Amino acid sequence: MPQPRDGAGSGRQTGPAARPADAPAGLVDRYGRRATDMRLSLTDKCNLRCTYCMPAEGLEWLAKQAVMSAEEIVRIVRIGVDRLGVRELRLTGGEPLVRHDLVEIIAALRNNHPGLPISMTTNGVGLTKKAAALKAAGLTRINVSLDSLHEETFTKLTRRPFLDQVLAGVDAAWAAGLGPVKLNAVLMRGINDAESPSLLAWALDRGYELRFIEQMPLDADHGWTRRNMITAAEIRSLLSVDFVLSPDPRARDGAPAERFEVRRRVAGTAESRGPVLGTVGIIASVTEPFCSDCRRTRITAEGKIMSCLFSREEFDLLGLLREGASDEALVERWQDAMWVKPKAHGMDHVGLDAPDFVQPDRSMSAIGG
Ligand code: SAM
Ligand code: SF4
């Protein structure tokens, strides 16, 4: 199983990659990118076992003491927002809904940051019970992962029979005012790829924004292969049987998803008919990466800073905080970590016939997707 790398990058950098004293304020890197979008993992635990993320038997969970407490999360977010220019927060995991103090954490964050967009990515299990409380606490919006509308396929992909709960959770989130609701789907060859047009039709009918995410080599089982992943080009082609996609005229503005307006296709022709039904997003992290415009900074559940999903280096923010560090020292560590953000993850540079990309140690659930 993947093990977090102990102490990697835990100190002040020295040498050629060290952040110069006159580096700009905020979370900037050597290539001039500025991170303003914070992804914070609330837990490494999860109640599903999605095949592209977790092994069937789960992972060895972090000890409770190793995970950031509510107070530590609130302090880290305060430093990010008040000192380092973070403008948007996404809570993730593991599964954020399994954290018993989730509502209290959101309420405390909202209290400190009245205008901050705070969204959450969830698998939706148990969301029906919590949606209204999350909204009341100050959550702005929600993303729910939904790979299939067929019970059997859903259960095969997630290894748990919870489709009904997830569908009810999506509707509950909408009803609670947590819209616009975005849905995330990962397509797996031969499992749910053929379902993509009907999944899109279902989402459009209900006013949910579906985004397809290319499968990344971040599964704990190390089963990802370049040949087997469904590329963005394939996704567009699968959808184009039923729909005509045209680029969304709105600016992408650093968003990972490339958005398309969707119209019905006149069967067997290149023509569309009727009005725009809504939009669909495609997150092509592998084949059409957006590294040059990346605005993300990530904090894992145990308080490590990752400048990229594929970083080989982690910087221990929580350890420093627990040693009694000042805000100033925490600001510096965070800036040092972001300064050495890789230029690109490089997955797209390897041709289809080249050996597969070397997978990072951490799986998606252990980073915080
Ligand atoms: N448990 C929550 C959920 O599933 O929405 C939040 C955490 S999950 C790691 C966040 C997102 O990462 C989900 O939308 C999931 O589909 C996506 N994800 C997980 N493993 C992935 C992989 N190997 N490639 C692409 N996306 C992945
Ligand atoms: Fe859990 Fe989300 Fe990973 Fe699925 S993708 S196993 S729901 S963390």
Side-chain angles (χ1 to χ4, degrees):
M1 62 160 280
Q3 292 294 327
R5 284 140 286 179
D6 279 342
S10 59
R12 180 81 168 90
Q13 289 266 311
T14 54
R19 186 171 52 89
D22 61 352
L27 295 173
V28 291
D29 67 39
R30 292 167 288 171
Y31 305 101
R33 292 167 298 187
R34 180 176 292 279
T36 52
D37 175 357
M38 177 175 175
R39 303 277 162 114
L40 184 135
S41 173
L42 295 176
T43 176
D44 60 322
K45 288 188 187 150
C46 188
N47 42 14
L48 298 187
R49 298 285 181 273
C50 304
T51 54
Y52 48 75
C53 181
M54 284 237 190
E57 66 281 11
L59 293 167
E60 199 175 304
W61 308 132
L62 292 166
K64 186 162 188 258
Q65 174 60 18
V67 174
M68 292 182 288
S69 68
E71 294 72 32
E72 289 164 341
I73 289 168
V74 168
R75 180 166 176 209
I76 287 172
V77 172
R78 180 176 55 70
I79 290 171
V81 174
D82 292 352
R83 302 284 307 268
L84 289 168
V86 166
R87 292 288 161 264
E88 204 177 328
L89 175 65
R90 168 85 56 84
L91 303 174
T92 182
E95 176 45 49
L97 286 173
V98 304
R99 198 158 163 152
H100 66 89
D101 52 357
L102 174 63
V103 169
E104 291 76 19
I105 291 172
I106 291 171
L109 294 173
R110 177 55 69 219
N111 187 47
N112 282 356
H113 311 287
L116 181 70
I118 306 177
S119 59
M120 185 173 89
T121 302
T122 171
N123 62 29
V125 175
L127 185 56
T128 35
K129 280 185 243 135
K130 296 222 175 115
L134 293 170
K135 175 69 184 175
L139 188 66
T140 315
R141 216 184 46 68
I142 210 153
N143 285 12
V144 184
S145 298
L146 178 64
D147 300 323
S148 176
L149 295 168
H150 295 293
E151 193 132 15
E152 210 178 305
T153 312
F154 180 93
T155 304
K156 187 169 180 185
L157 275 170
T158 63
R159 303 189 179 103
R160 294 290 184 273
F162 295 151
L163 174 63
D164 287 350
Q165 267 205 60
V166 175
L167 294 180
V170 172
D171 290 342
W174 176 257
L178 288 169
V181 172
K182 294 187 184 174
L183 303 176
N184 292 351
V186 177
L187 295 181
M188 303 289 281
R189 195 174 298 286
I191 300 177
N192 64 340
D193 50 342
E195 202 191 319
S196 48
S198 50
L199 192 56
L200 177 57
W202 182 89
L204 291 167
D205 268 358
R206 287 158 183 77
Y208 303 142
E209 184 180 325
L210 180 60
R211 297 122 45 91
F212 291 101
I213 309 176
E214 277 184 346
Q215 186 201 0
M216 290 181 271
L218 291 171
D219 57 315
D221 281 337
H222 290 230
W224 183 91
T225 65
R226 186 173 297 279
R227 285 179 183 283
N228 220 22
M229 64 162 289
I230 309 274
T231 64
E234 278 182 88
I235 297 169
R236 290 190 290 264
S237 148
L238 283 163
L239 298 178
S240 69
V241 174
D242 291 349
F243 301 103
V244 173
L245 307 186
S246 43
D248 187 327
R250 287 173 295 173
R252 188 160 170 179
D253 201 23
E258 184 176 10
R259 273 189 315 252
F260 298 89
E261 290 182 337
V262 186
R263 292 179 177 81
R264 277 268 164 216
R265 178 177 295 280
V266 180
T269 75
E271 304 302 313
S272 64
R273 66 176 157 83
V276 174
L277 303 170
T279 60
V280 65
I282 299 182
I283 304 181
S285 316
V286 179
T287 62
E288 296 163 17
F290 33 88
C291 302
S292 62
D293 200 23
C294 180
R295 301 179 191 178
R296 268 158 291 290
T297 183
R298 295 174 186 277
I299 307 286
T300 69
E302 77 270 48
K304 300 260 168 66
I305 305 160
M306 289 184 73
S307 58
C308 169
L309 276 174
F310 295 92
S311 297
R312 308 296 307 177
E313 237 189 328
E314 298 172 10
F315 288 68
D316 186 9
L317 193 61
L318 183 62
L320 190 63
L321 184 155
R322 287 183 178 175
E323 284 165 20
S326 63
D327 281 5
E328 197 51 48
L330 296 169
V331 161
E332 270 212 17
R333 170 129 334 150
W334 204 336
Q335 289 182 308
D336 287 346
M338 294 307 295
W339 183 255
V340 294
K341 180 177 172 105
K343 186 172 186 182
H345 54 54
M347 280 185 291
D348 55 317
H349 298 153
V350 186
L352 275 174
D353 296 324
D356 278 335
F357 178 78
V358 180
Q359 182 164 341
D361 296 339
R362 277 182 185 268
S363 60
M364 192 64 135
S365 64
I367 300 170

